[in-house]
Amino acid sequence: MPELPEVETICRGLAAAMANRRLVRVETRRRDLRRPLPDKFAERLTGRAVVAIGRRAKYILIRLKQDKREDGEEDDVLLVHLGMSGRMTVAASEIAPAPHAAHDHVVFHLDDGAVVRFNDARRFGSMALACAAGLERHPLLAGLGPEPLDPDFDGPALAARLRGKRTPIKAALLDQRVVAGLGNIYVCEALFRAGISPRRMAATVQGERARRLAAAIGDVLNEAIAAGGSTLRDHVRPNGELGYFQHHFAVYGREGERCADCRCRAAIKRIVQSGRSTFFCPQRQR
DNA sequence: ATTGGTTCCTGCTGGC
DNA sequence: TGCCAGCAGGAACCAA
């Protein structure tokens, strides 16, 4: 479900609830997520304080206060990936806590009584524990491409990542090793804004085209974050509010509608690329 | 080494 | 109204 803007929105909501709070209890109601939860998962988290919430690509990074254990290891970052249907929700302290819903797989109880739930119907999500030192070298993060909202992500940086790629630009942008954090929706939207056909060979997106595409990616992501992400079916912010960027899609899910470009008005087309729907305007995108 | 296809899982929708 | 095929925001894994 969630792409970079949804994950970023969720991180901000979690930060408000979890930063500087302690985990007093961790329930693992189902361990068989995409990958099984690590051994002694709850034990390793219980009693520890949350220092900060961050994000890398589509991973939520929950930083925990240093806690040296007997064997010398310091597991101090909890990595959460939401897969397709994962949610993180926060319920403030209540006299009678709400009963757990179906698919609440991991439940964190904070020292102020708040309850943070990881809910994931499809169980494509996962959690892992990592050391803060050398976090970027963790196997789950090591191969990731640049963050598209970093100031140094620009046309030349994108062009360099695409050089020599003999795959359609759509597929290249979905590859987290090329750019981190994009998914099916925002790739479609960014390509539309940049006027680039999803079928164009990635290696030919250089120079001015790469500059336009890098700018389009940054713009669409920033606008989506400002709107709280896109709610199609699953995405909910930790506080229960919905995102509303879906109302601003130019092409995603709009097969057959007229192109938003007033000079164009061609019909939006849907094709399948590497097994996934691509929406685009065949007139405007070349 | 790349690249494309398949698979994991559940829930919802649209067509019959 | 009811049933079921097909599809969904991801990415690891496999084979060529």
Side-chain angles (χ1 to χ4, degrees), chain A residues 8 12 19 36 39 64 70 74 80 124 127 134 136 145 155 162 167 171 173 175 186 200 212 229 232-233 239 243 261:
Chain A
E8 178 64 28
R12 293 179 186 185
D39 287 340
L64 302 159
E70 289 173 17
E74 299 164 22
V80 180
F124 287 175
M127 294 194 190
E136 284 286 317
L162 297 174
T167 182
L173 293 179
D175 184 342
Y186 297 104
R200 171 177 282 277
R212 268 191 287 130
L232 261 41
R233 41 181 71 78
N239 64 6
D261 183 338

Side-chain angles (χ1 to χ4, degrees), chain A residues 29-93:
Chain A
R29 309 182 70 244
R30 239 194 126 138
R31 306 189 68 93
D32 56 335
L33 308 182
R34 175 70 189 262
R35 341 182 67 92
L37 286 179
D39 287 340
K40 302 183 187 166
F41 180 80
E43 294 90 318
R44 287 153 83 176
L45 293 174
T46 302
R48 302 191 63 181
V50 175
V51 177
I53 308 286
R55 180 188 58 74
R56 173 73 173 109
K58 297 171 193 170
Y59 286 93
I60 300 167
L61 309 177
I62 301 178
R63 295 176 180 276
L64 302 159
K65 197 166 175 185
Q66 296 281 340
D67 175 26
K68 303 221 174 179
R69 303 182 328 191
E70 289 173 17
D71 57 10
E73 286 183 47
E74 299 164 22
D75 291 322
D76 44 23
V77 182
L78 169 60
L79 284 71
V80 180
H81 197 292
L82 299 172
M84 289 278 259
S85 57
R87 307 172 174 194
M88 296 286 283
T89 58
V90 177
S93 177

